[in-house]
């Protein structure tokens, strides 16, 4: 990487950090009652539950043609819960390094490392049956269903760092407030 | 706790909580001075996080003390006892 590329990267990171801090200033007081560890854990479980629902819908869409319609309410529910979880956990899972201190960076990196492992595992688990089924069954819904469950697997990996951070981050000490 | 890539994890004890209380400083005030989140100060005081050299030196600057007065490999006793310990055999 030459100096010019390095400068572009540094400027982009500075821009990301600035945007993140601006956005954080707007949202840090949203949903105050949902910022306790107990509520954050409830949201993490709810997000995991919607991912399981999306997986079930995608598998069922292999056999029933009307089932894909259920994607819309399930996706809407997922987006609401995911946005809430990200808001109450301060979006630390995808925050730029410059917006976090060293302990937060360390926790984020550990959560992302686990998230990468989950992504690899779930996407692999989604693709292997797809390859197997494409050679053994003749189902016109297979492409749609396979794409849906691969997307669900990818979403599980994408969401996992935020879910881990929401789960492990303790309630702030009264002295910290 | 900071990851240690090789070898045994050696403990790092600190007096941050005591020094902060001595100066009647809240976690939020110290956090602002060393530019971290107040929860990170809590993690340091509990020993859940070992600070980087940069953060350790920033903490020492706030208290105006050398690193060895704030951080140690050995468990730290009360500062007053270390300063004013009576020599029993004297």
């Amino acid at each position: 990487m030459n100096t010019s590329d390095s400068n572009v990267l540094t400027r982009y990171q500075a821009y990301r950090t600035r945007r993140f801090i601006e956005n954080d200033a707007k949202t840090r007081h949203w949903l105050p009652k949902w910022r306790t560890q107990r509520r954050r854990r409830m949201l993490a479980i709810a997000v995991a539950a919607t991912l399981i629902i999306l997986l079930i819908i995608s598998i069922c869409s292999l056999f029933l043609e009307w089932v894909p319609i259920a994607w819309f309410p399930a996706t809407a529910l997922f987006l609401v819960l995911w946005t809430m979880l990200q808001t109450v956990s301060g979006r630390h899972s995808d925050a730029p390094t410059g917006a976090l201190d060293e302990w937060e960076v360390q926790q984020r990196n550990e959560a992302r490392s686990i998230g990468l492992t989950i992504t690899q595992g779930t996407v692999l688990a989604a693709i292997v049956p797809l390859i197997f089924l494409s050679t053994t069954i003749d189902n016109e819904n297979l492409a749609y269903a396979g794409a849906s469950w691969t997307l669900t697997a990818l979403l599980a990996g994408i969401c996992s760092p935020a879910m881990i951070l929401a789960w492990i981050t303790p309630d702030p000490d009264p002295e910290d407030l | 706790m900071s990851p240690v890539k090789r070898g045994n994890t050696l403990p790092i004890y600190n007096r941050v909580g005591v020094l902060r209380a001595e100066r009647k400083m809240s976690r939020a005030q110290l956090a602002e001075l060393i530019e971290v989140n107040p929860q990170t100060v809590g993690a340091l005081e509990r020993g859940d996080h070992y600070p980087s050299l940069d953060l350790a030196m920033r903490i020492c600057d706030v208290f105006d003390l050398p690193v060895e007065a704030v951080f140690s490999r050995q468990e730290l006793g009360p500062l007053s006892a270390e300063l004013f310990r009576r020599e029993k055999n004297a």
Side-chain angles (χ1 to χ4, degrees), chain A residues 139-158:
Chain A
N139 186 325
E140 61 182 8
N141 297 327
L142 180 62
Y144 182 85
S148 305
W149 73 56
T150 306
L151 178 62
T152 308
L154 196 58
L155 283 174
I158 291 168

Side-chain angles (χ1 to χ4, degrees), chain A residues 55 62 119-137 142 145-147 149-151 153-154:
Chain A
L55 179 65
L62 200 57
T119 309
Q120 289 166 339
T122 52
V123 172
L124 205 62
I127 288 174
V128 169
L130 188 58
I131 294 169
F132 175 75
L133 290 174
S134 63
T135 57
T136 53
I137 66 164
L142 180 62
W149 73 56
T150 306
L151 178 62
L154 196 58

Side-chain angles (χ1 to χ4, degrees), chain B residues 3-73:
Chain B
V4 175
K5 292 180 183 71
R6 293 182 194 89
N8 296 325
T9 305
L10 298 174
I12 301 174
Y13 299 97
N14 71 72
R15 284 196 176 99
V16 174
V18 174
L19 293 167
R20 186 175 59 74
E22 198 180 66
R23 284 159 177 76
K24 296 185 173 54
M25 194 183 274
S26 69
R27 274 187 191 156
Q29 285 170 321
L30 177 60
E32 199 180 332
L33 289 169
I34 59 175
E35 296 177 358
V36 297
N37 194 306
Q39 284 187 297
T40 301
V41 176
L44 280 167
E45 290 179 3
R46 289 190 304 273
D48 290 344
H49 175 60
Y50 294 164
S52 65
L53 185 58
D54 172 59
L55 183 57
M57 291 177 99
R58 275 189 277 157
I59 293 167
C60 292
D61 280 347
V62 169
F63 296 126
D64 198 20
L65 287 169
V67 171
E68 60 271 22
V70 184
F71 298 96
S72 171
R73 285 284 188 209

Side-chain angles (χ1 to χ4, degrees), chain A residues 79-134:
Chain A
L79 288 174
V80 169
L81 291 168
W82 173 237
T83 307
M84 282 177 75
L85 183 71
Q86 282 281 68
T87 303
V88 298
S89 56
R91 291 187 63 206
H92 280 193
S93 64
D94 50 24
T97 308
L100 303 175
D101 67 36
E102 60 179 47
W103 190 50
E104 291 167 332
V105 168
Q106 186 189 313
Q107 286 192 312
R108 185 203 66 173
N109 289 350
E110 284 170 10
R112 278 186 174 185
S113 171
I114 297 167
L116 179 64
T117 307
I118 292 170
T119 309
Q120 289 166 339
T122 52
V123 172
L124 205 62
I127 288 174
V128 169
L130 188 58
I131 294 169
F132 175 75
L133 290 174
S134 63

